Amino acid sequence: MYSYFIRILSDNLSNTMHLLFLLLILFFSKTVLATPTLTIWSSHQNRDFLTVMTNKYKKSHDVNISIVQLDPSEIKAEILLSAQYGGLPDLIVIPSDFLGLHKMMNLSAIPDDWYIEKLSHKVRSTIKSDDKYWGIPLIQGNFLLLYYNKKYVAQPATDFNDIILAKKQFLAKKVMPIGWNYNDMYYFIPFLSAFNGWPIVKGQITLNTPAMIKALKYYRSLADQGIIDRNCDYRCAQADFIKGNNAYSINGDWAYHDLKTMLGDNLGVAVLPKVNGKTMHSMSSTFVLAVPSNSQHSKEKQELIKDFAGFVQQPKNQHAVYEKTKLLPISMTYYRQLRQKATGDNLVMFHQMALTKLMPSTLNMAISWQAIAIGFQRYQAGATAAYTAAHMQKIAQEQLKYLDNN
């Protein structure tokens, strides 16, 4: 008899719990549905620049914002795969050269009335491809600098010959002269520029040149001499510099905040050294907010995306980002104000920015990156510089032909 009552009580309790559980699900479902959500993918190393803006936006808007941080070396593939098989986020924060792949990434063109900030011709050109605009510029720069550890370097090198001559001095202290992501071709381009080469000339892919051959030989000679470890990738190179294992480092403006935090007053910043007296020109670009497949969203979501795109362009938000990160703003007026009063490391940033060349946001540039990377792998495996340059050009031409026929 007691077991009967216990069973009845147990059943009633179970039913009550199920009812409460269902009510809780219903309650939280309504709560979630009542609050719109934006999902953003980003690959910028300095996470603060995006969180500064999103946190400010959330304070004045009832919205959830989810930021997914992806590895810079992987985000392009992630976007292309997601565009093909589904799963793209509401917004992506990417380097402007990705915009040349706007068709493959299912990006939506940005209407003119979304732009609230007057953009310079240079900045506007970074977001234009096929006569349309494909992104909202957030910051500009994305260029390379020479960092050095003041424990080992009193005055920064102005030419690579200075670093080569100091090799024995550094090795005696069990310190490598310099480090960077050797096999990433973004770091190779400044060397190419020192020999008067550039991957895109008058809109055309131009890789099979005497400049490319000379740059490849010089680049490999640095590794052969033990000036740099050719097997060190980005994480390795940055970690070694922070640990004091490298006297110098070539890294981007995006890394300044992290390096300053870790090294403090020991961090030195300089423009890129020359190569046998010839100036190295880093590429520069913008980081942009792009919108995948906007037409597939509800009208409410489209309005939210537009509102957020306008918010991040506001001058007060650009000011907040620069104060936190020192990443250069898009606003022409604010940029000039900062440049005029810049000192120390900030002044070096503006000097290096002035020496950069703009990275094209075209399909040809995207194809060039792939061709250079594949060709360089052949070069590392033992191919001659002349063969490598010709092979790069061949790969690029074959890819262009394939895209024209498909």
Side-chain angles (χ1 to χ4, degrees), residues 33-107:
L33 289 173
T35 304
T37 298
L38 282 177
T39 301
I40 307 174
W41 287 2
S42 175
S43 64
H44 199 284
Q45 179 175 324
N46 192 327
R47 303 184 184 195
D48 287 341
F49 102 87
L50 188 55
T51 55
V52 165
M53 290 186 284
T54 55
N55 287 342
K56 285 172 65 70
Y57 189 75
K58 287 189 290 186
K59 285 182 179 178
S60 56
H61 297 77
D62 182 23
V63 60
N64 293 319
I65 300 180
S66 173
I67 300 175
V68 179
Q69 191 73 24
L70 297 175
D71 190 291
S73 64
E74 298 173 357
I75 189 169
K76 184 185 289 186
E78 289 281 355
I79 295 170
L80 291 171
L81 287 171
S82 296
Q84 185 174 358
Y85 298 109
L88 284 168
D90 302 314
L91 296 162
I92 53 177
V93 176
I94 52 177
S96 55
D97 66 297
F98 282 24
L99 299 179
L101 299 172
H102 59 84
K103 291 181 181 178
M104 300 177 192
M105 292 183 172
N106 289 346
L107 300 184

Side-chain angles (χ1 to χ4, degrees), residues 140 328-329 331-339 350 353:
Q140 61 178 317
L328 300 180
S331 167
M332 289 191 296
T333 301
Y334 187 39
Y335 185 93
R336 292 192 189 105
Q337 291 173 354
L338 291 171
R339 185 177 58 191
F350 284 101
M353 180 66 173

Side-chain angles (χ1 to χ4, degrees), residues 168-186:
K168 289 183 179 180
Q169 169 192 328
F170 293 135
L171 293 181
K173 298 177 181 179
K174 298 182 179 180
V175 173
M176 280 290 289
I178 193 169
W180 68 80
N181 191 0
Y182 184 81
N183 293 295
D184 184 330
M185 294 295 92
Y186 193 73

Side-chain angles (χ1 to χ4, degrees), residues 241-297:
F241 183 63
I242 290 171
K243 292 175 184 177
N245 297 332
N246 292 340
Y248 288 95
S249 173
I250 293 179
N251 207 331
D253 60 333
W254 59 81
Y256 175 78
H257 183 267
D258 288 347
L259 295 178
K260 188 66 176 177
T261 299
M262 298 301 294
L263 293 174
D265 292 339
N266 282 329
L267 180 68
V269 186
V271 297
L272 292 175
K274 295 180 179 181
V275 173
N276 296 326
K278 299 175 182 177
T279 301
M280 297 174 71
H281 299 281
S282 169
M283 283 184 159
S284 63
S285 66
T286 57
F287 257 78
V288 306
L289 190 72
V291 187
S293 307
N294 194 39
S295 62
Q296 296 182 13
H297 294 308

Side-chain angles (χ1 to χ4, degrees), residues 160 164 167 171 176-180 182-183 191 215-232 376 379-380:
F160 256 95
I164 294 170
K167 173 188 169 182
L171 293 181
M176 280 290 289
I178 193 169
W180 68 80
Y182 184 81
N183 293 295
F191 292 89
L216 286 169
K217 289 180 178 179
Y218 184 84
Y219 198 71
R220 186 158 70 182
S221 75
L222 294 175
D224 290 343
Q225 294 176 74
I227 303 301
I228 182 172
D229 180 358
R230 57 162 52 92
N231 297 313
C232 208
F376 187 72
Y379 188 55
Q380 289 285 73

